[in-house]
């Protein structure tokens, strides 16, 4: 069907697609939740914002589950190293994800402003944590993570959670935060009552501008201040899954792949052009503004993936131990079987998701909330 090299590239692209799907589909409800106190001036307005995301937020997390499952089955070494080494960071994200359904379900159980405010802060905090930690994790990929393999492929990790908080990684966290706050603002501008949408337009424009500035700054820092990794010598693209069979040179540019494959530049250009599109469209054509913010998210994540290629998880302790597309995958048979299952199931997920959003289209208004809840 496909040779081993092609299957590895296909699954690298699929993993990136699933991460982009998660960032777009779940990113806007993280953004809306994080902005709950800013966009909603009272309990009714915050209820409008919540009812805009409550019907779909749980379905959106399917993309997160799919990405985790793909990493586990297609890239088992990537899954093992990242989930073991960054255990505390991942546990922090999972705690935030666990608190979200609790906040959605318990917020309306007691009609007390203090009770509702407590859960509003929980929902906002959970959104901020996930967006920030995800960006910090991406930043650390370029810095290299402190792990190595011995001759028997036993992994050891040297470092703590606080070692991940490098200034460049924190900058990447701020890029993620600004990007998804802008994405959430675009969704609120499209979905919420017009009074709330007007505020979302203002927030969306400012956060999009902040994203563009931080994104360019991170790119400049990456180009001039962070040494890149590159495979030294001949590249074996269909060899066994053993990272120790290669040599890695450190000191070049992470943008070397952009020189080799000039079409990679389409990703950062898409991210920045879409940011300009958000500025122009968010207050006039809300659906087009949301599409622009979705393209901004997709272009940003793709640009990072292209810069890393073929690395999946570089190592700062022993660059040779870094995981690449060519030496960290499952077997050819496993990748083929998974691709067949994905070809059947992923279109079903996408069609069902599209149908749900079509059914739930339209704005959530203050009048609808007052009628549904009998006033506050």
């Amino acid at each position: 069907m496909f040779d081993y090299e092609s299957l590895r590239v296909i699954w690298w692209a699929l993993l990136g697609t699933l991460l982009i799907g998660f960032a777009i589909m779940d990113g806007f409800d993280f953004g809306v939740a994080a902005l709950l106190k800013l966009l909603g001036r009272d309990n009714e307005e915050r209820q409008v914002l919540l009812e805009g995301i409550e019907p779909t937020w749980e379905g959106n997390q399917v993309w997160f589950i799919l990405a985790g499952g793909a990493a586990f089955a297609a890239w088992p070494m990537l899954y093992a190293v990242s989930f073991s080494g960054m255990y505390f960071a991942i546990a922090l994200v999972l705690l935030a994800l666990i608190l979200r359904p609790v906040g959605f379900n318990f917020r309306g159980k007691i009609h007390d402003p203090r009770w509702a405010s407590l859960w509003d802060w929980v929902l906002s905090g959970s959104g901020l944590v996930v967006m920030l930690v995800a960006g910090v994790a991406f930043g650390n990929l370029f810095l290299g993570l402190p792990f190595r393999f011995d001759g028997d492929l036993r992994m050891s990790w040297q470092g703590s959670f606080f070692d991940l908080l490098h200034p460049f990684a924190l900058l990447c966290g701020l890029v993620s935060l600004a990007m998804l706050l802008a994405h959430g603002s675009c969704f609120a501008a499209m979905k919420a009552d017009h009074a709330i949408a007007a505020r979302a337009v203002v927030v969306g424009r400012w956060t999009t501008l902040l994203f563009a500035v931080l994104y360019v700054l991170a790119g400049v820092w990456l180009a001039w201040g962070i040494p890149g990794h590159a495979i030294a010598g001949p590249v074996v693209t269909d060899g066994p899954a053993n990272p120790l069979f290669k040599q890695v040179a450190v000191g070049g540019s992470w943008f070397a792949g952009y020189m080799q494959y000039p079409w990679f530049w389409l990703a950062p250009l898409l991210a920045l052009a879409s940011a300009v599109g958000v500025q122009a469209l968010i207050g006039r054509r809300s659906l087009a503004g949301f599409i622009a913010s979705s393209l901004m998210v997709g272009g940003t994540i793709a640009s990072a993936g292209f810069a890393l290629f073929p690395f999946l998880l570089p190592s700062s302790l022993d660059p040779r131990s870094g995981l690449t597309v060519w030496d960290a995958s499952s077997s050819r048979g496993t990748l083929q079987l998974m691709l067949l299952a994905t070809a059947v199931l992923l279109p079903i997920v996408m069609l069902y998701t599209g149908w749900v959003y079509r059914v739930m289209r339209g704005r959530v208004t203050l009048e609808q909330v007052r009628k549904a809840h009998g006033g506050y």
Side-chain angles (χ1 to χ4, degrees):
M1 186 175 177
F2 291 104
D3 59 37
Y4 204 5
E5 176 186 359
S6 299
L7 283 168
R8 282 169 161 169
V9 174
I10 289 169
W11 271 102
W12 168 77
L14 280 173
L15 180 60
T17 300
L18 292 173
L19 290 174
I20 290 172
F22 169 62
I24 291 174
M25 301 303 296
D26 226 13
F28 71 77
D29 58 56
F30 286 130
V32 170
L35 293 168
L36 203 56
K37 288 284 192 176
L38 181 62
L39 297 180
R41 292 182 175 174
D42 56 33
N43 196 43
E44 284 185 341
E45 291 190 346
R46 288 190 282 273
Q47 189 66 39
V48 167
L49 291 165
L50 289 174
E51 292 195 8
I53 60 176
E54 279 181 340
T56 55
W57 73 268
E58 197 165 14
N60 291 340
Q61 293 196 161
V62 168
W63 294 94
F64 179 70
I65 297 168
L66 288 174
F72 174 76
W75 309 100
M77 297 179 76
L78 169 67
Y79 182 91
V81 173
S82 59
F83 277 64
S84 299
M86 293 190 288
Y87 183 86
F88 186 80
I90 291 173
L92 185 62
V93 169
L94 290 177
L95 176 61
L97 293 175
I98 289 169
L99 287 174
R100 295 181 76 215
V102 179
F104 284 128
N105 291 323
F106 278 76
R107 183 182 184 277
K109 296 296 184 183
I110 300 175
H111 294 292
D112 185 321
R114 292 172 298 178
W115 176 262
S117 180
L118 168 65
W119 292 109
D120 289 343
W121 282 115
V122 169
L123 289 169
S124 296
S126 65
L128 290 170
V129 165
V130 174
M131 293 186 290
L132 187 62
V133 172
V136 169
F138 256 98
N140 273 281
L141 296 182
F142 293 104
L143 297 166
L145 292 167
F147 72 94
R148 62 160 52 96
F149 291 106
D150 65 14
D152 296 319
L153 292 183
R154 290 175 296 191
M155 190 273 289
S156 60
W157 183 282
Q158 297 179 14
S160 67
F161 170 77
F162 296 102
D163 293 328
L164 301 176
L165 304 181
H166 184 279
F168 175 76
L170 291 174
L171 174 60
C172 292
L174 293 177
V175 171
S176 171
L177 190 60
M179 176 181 72
L180 294 179
L181 287 176
H183 191 42
S185 298
C186 288
F187 183 80
M190 177 182 68
K191 190 72 175 175
D193 187 272
H194 289 286
I196 305 170
R199 286 178 227 133
V201 168
V202 176
V203 174
R205 283 178 172 154
W206 278 107
T207 50
T208 303
L209 178 61
L210 179 61
F211 156 77
V213 171
L214 294 174
Y215 180 65
V216 171
L217 179 60
V220 171
W221 193 341
L222 183 63
W224 299 102
I226 308 295
H229 291 215
I231 299 176
V235 179
V236 180
T237 59
D238 58 354
N242 188 330
L244 299 181
F245 286 173
K246 67 179 182 302
Q247 295 297 323
V248 174
V250 179
S253 171
W254 278 115
F255 287 94
Y258 282 77
M259 304 300 110
Q260 185 176 0
Y261 306 104
W263 62 270
F264 278 8
W265 287 105
L266 293 174
L269 289 175
L270 176 64
L272 292 173
S274 298
V276 174
V278 170
Q279 292 283 350
L281 296 168
I282 185 174
R284 297 160 52 191
R285 300 175 60 188
S286 55
L287 176 59
F290 179 72
I291 293 172
S293 72
S294 298
L295 293 174
M296 181 178 72
V297 172
T300 302
I301 296 175
S303 66
F306 290 157
L308 284 166
F309 185 83
F311 285 87
L312 298 169
L313 206 67
S315 169
S316 60
L317 292 183
D318 176 20
R320 189 176 59 136
S321 295
L323 304 179
T324 74
V325 172
W326 314 125
D327 57 27
S329 73
S330 294
S331 67
R332 181 171 180 265
T334 299
L335 296 181
Q336 278 188 333
L337 182 62
M338 288 176 58
L339 185 61
L340 179 62
T342 302
V344 174
L345 297 177
L346 188 58
I348 294 174
V349 171
M350 296 178 72
L351 286 171
Y352 177 73
T353 301
W355 176 78
V356 169
Y357 278 91
R358 184 179 183 278
V359 171
M360 302 304 298
R361 67 188 183 278
R363 290 186 182 272
V364 179
T365 67
L366 284 166
E367 183 181 359
Q368 291 169 342
V369 166
R370 287 164 184 157
K371 285 182 179 179
H373 295 274
Y376 284 85

